[in-house]
Amino acid sequence: MKRRLVLTTESARHPFRRSLPPTLFLVGKKDKRTSDDQDWKLFALSFSAFFTAFYSFIA
């Protein structure tokens, strides 16, 4: 089987995706502690925004 050397990701079929570096396609390499911290921050922000909006309509 003769193939050219592939330097891009084979799963990237679109020309724009082929031009991106392969490191963008790596998934799941984040630090678990940082991810959990961001989840809690997003939850606190969403809860406080909902509480503020809900309370302002009642008052």
Side-chain angles (χ1 to χ4, degrees), residues 5-54:
L5 177 63
V6 178
L7 296 177
T8 59
T9 316
E10 289 187 351
S11 63
R13 304 225 186 264
H14 193 271
F16 176 72
R17 287 188 61 146
R18 268 191 243 135
S19 68
L20 296 173
T23 55
L24 290 177
F25 297 108
L26 297 177
V27 179
K29 296 287 183 180
K30 294 182 180 177
D31 184 20
K32 179 116 173 96
R33 176 174 260 171
T34 305
S35 177
D36 288 344
D37 186 40
Q38 290 175 353
D39 289 343
W40 279 108
K41 287 178 182 177
L42 180 62
F43 172 74
L45 179 67
S46 301
F47 182 80
S48 60
F50 174 76
F51 181 77
T52 304
F54 186 75

